[in-house]
């Protein structure tokens, strides 16, 4: 009886390990996304976006990385539904996504804020010019 119990436990552990390995399809994709997010976070440190060109480049790069992360997330989410421990798998996938989306969103927000600021400055100058012309 004791032996049967340990065999069952071993099988459950083995199934858990196998499902976790299957639940992360594109594990190398996640590693690439992690490296990309880290490099973008280093490239665009908070407060380092100072020009319209830099803001445009940061926005393009962070948007592309976010799309890649979202694609991985959707693919992994579908794969989780094929596993035995669906909720654990989904929680792990969500946790990985949250880990990287924060820095990507920060970069995009900072770039958009600078673009808005520059656009408002441009509109103010145009308004000043129109008001100066009687």
């Amino acid at each position: 009886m004791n032996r049967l119990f340990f065999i069952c436990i071993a099988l459950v552990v083995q199934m858990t390990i196998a499902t976790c390995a299957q639940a992360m399809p594109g594990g190398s994709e996640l590693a690439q996304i992690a490296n990309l997010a880290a490099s973008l976070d280093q490239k665009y440190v908070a407060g380092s976006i100072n020009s319209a060109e830099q803001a445009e480049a940061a926005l393009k790069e962070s948007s592309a990385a976010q799309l890649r992360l979202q694609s991985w997330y959707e693919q992994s989410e579908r794969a989780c539904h094929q596993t035995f421990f669906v909720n654990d798998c989904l929680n792990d996938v969500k946790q990985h996504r949250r880990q990287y989306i924060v820095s990507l969103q920060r970069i995009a927000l900072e770039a958009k804020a600078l673009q808005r600021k520059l656009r408002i400055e441009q509109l103010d100058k145009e308004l000043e010019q129109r008001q100066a012309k009687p």
Side-chain angles (χ1 to χ4, degrees):
M1 181 71 177
N2 239 357
R3 186 176 166 117
L4 181 61
F5 176 74
F6 286 116
I7 291 174
C8 288
I9 295 293
L11 285 173
V12 168
V13 169
Q14 189 176 18
M15 280 179 38
T16 303
I17 292 171
T19 56
C20 287
Q22 289 176 350
M24 296 292 174
S28 63
E29 176 71 11
L30 181 61
Q32 291 173 359
I33 292 169
N35 289 337
L36 179 60
S39 69
L40 288 176
D41 201 30
Q42 288 176 354
K43 184 177 180 180
Y44 300 110
V45 179
S48 67
I49 301 174
N50 299 319
S51 68
E53 296 81 21
Q54 200 175 20
E56 184 67 31
L59 195 56
K60 280 183 183 178
E61 290 178 40
S62 69
S63 295
Q66 284 184 35
L67 285 173
R68 195 167 168 188
L69 180 62
Q70 184 64 26
S71 173
W72 170 85
Y73 174 72
E74 290 169 359
Q75 181 184 18
S76 297
E77 200 174 40
R78 281 191 300 273
C80 283
H81 292 287
Q82 306 299 318
T83 64
F84 183 73
F85 297 106
V86 175
N87 289 333
D88 286 339
C89 179
L90 289 173
N91 287 338
D92 289 344
V93 169
K94 286 177 187 175
Q95 184 179 5
H96 285 297
R97 181 176 176 264
R98 274 190 227 117
Q99 182 179 358
Y100 303 115
I101 198 75
V102 171
S103 64
L104 297 175
Q105 286 177 338
R106 179 199 54 82
I107 293 167
L109 286 173
E110 188 176 331
K112 287 178 183 178
L114 180 67
Q115 287 178 334
R116 277 192 305 275
K117 179 184 170 193
L118 293 174
R119 178 72 178 140
I120 289 170
E121 288 174 359
Q122 180 186 4
L123 291 173
D124 285 345
K125 286 180 186 177
E126 290 173 5
L127 182 62
E128 250 180 53
Q129 290 173 353
R130 274 190 255 139
Q131 288 176 348
K133 281 185 177 178

